[in-house]
Amino acid sequence: MPERSEEPPAPGGDGEGYRESAGDRAGDRAGDREGTGDRARGENALQQADRRWNELLQELRVAQTGVQILFGFLLAVVFQPRFAELGDVDRTIYVVTVILGAVTVGALVGPVSFHRLVAGHRLKPETVVWASRMTIAGLVFLYLTMASALLLILRMVLPDGLALWLMVLMAVWFALWWFAVPLWARQRMTRGSTESR
């Protein structure tokens, strides 16, 4: 069930005497920058913040599931008998991978903590902005964790040089679909909407 906004209704609803807060104005500016401003959808700042928060929650659920599986695997590796056979380089890669995984978990769970600590303080638009930043940071760290974990696993079954090249190839593949294509699409749509005005 989608979360309901803790902020009072906008003017024209049941909330008489409602005043636009700095958070409402921040939400308007953030939405306008993304090309999905409240005016285009007929939303006020709080409705826009609620919608964007619910969309972000769906995205976080997908990312957090993958992170939990990956991090659980990383924590279990150290208890496997073959772990003792790892050389110094592989142990270093493992430690780096686990730290990156922990940083990823922190960034992707951060929005939940942020929202819970500021809930009820009329900061929903700011919460959405900060949660979006944490999610992007989490995705960057997840990208690095995936690359590092792939290198560790591939080094166990392939020659070092081939493992490194395959990891680089997969890192480019992830970067293409996670970052390059969305940014290209956003730039293209932004340019198209600017030219049509």
Side-chain angles (χ1 to χ4, degrees):
M1 182 171 166
E3 180 184 327
R4 298 184 59 154
S5 172
E6 291 127 6
E7 284 82 8
D14 296 332
E16 293 182 40
Y18 174 82
R19 289 181 319 213
E20 182 182 47
S21 68
D24 299 337
R25 292 188 295 275
D28 286 342
R29 289 192 300 273
D32 290 339
R33 278 196 307 272
E34 293 182 10
T36 58
D38 59 321
R39 291 169 187 83
R41 290 177 177 259
E43 298 172 325
N44 63 40
L46 296 176
Q47 291 168 331
Q48 182 188 22
D50 284 339
R51 175 179 54 80
R52 291 181 66 212
W53 176 253
N54 287 329
E55 291 171 354
L56 185 60
L57 281 182
Q58 296 301 321
E59 295 163 3
L60 283 170
R61 285 188 184 108
V62 173
Q64 286 173 348
T65 300
V67 169
Q68 288 167 353
I69 294 170
L70 178 61
F71 197 56
F73 160 76
L74 290 172
L75 294 179
V77 165
V78 74
F79 299 106
Q80 301 301 314
R82 199 171 171 196
F83 184 80
E85 301 173 14
L86 292 181
D88 291 340
V89 173
D90 290 323
R91 285 174 182 264
T92 301
I93 295 172
Y94 174 76
V95 170
V96 169
T97 306
V98 169
I99 290 171
L100 285 170
V103 171
T104 303
V105 170
L108 291 178
V109 175
V112 177
S113 174
F114 192 99
H115 179 264
R116 188 47 34 214
L117 291 173
V118 302
H121 292 276
R122 301 181 62 147
L123 294 172
K124 186 59 107 15
E126 290 89 347
T127 300
V128 171
V129 170
W130 278 103
S132 295
R133 291 172 181 165
M134 289 181 215
T135 302
I136 291 170
L139 291 173
V140 171
F141 282 112
L142 177 58
Y143 169 78
L144 296 173
T145 305
M146 287 289 293
S148 186
L150 276 170
L151 180 60
L152 178 65
I153 293 167
L154 292 172
R155 281 174 58 93
M156 298 291 290
V157 295
L158 295 171
D160 294 351
L162 179 58
L164 181 61
W165 277 108
L166 283 174
M167 185 276 291
V168 169
L169 183 65
M170 292 308 302
V172 170
W173 180 255
F174 281 123
L176 176 69
W177 294 111
W178 288 13
F179 305 110
V181 169
L183 290 172
W184 171 78
R186 185 173 88 172
Q187 183 181 22
R188 185 178 176 191
M189 286 184 284
T190 303
R191 188 168 57 238
S193 63
T194 303
E195 290 171 357
S196 65
R197 287 178 186 171

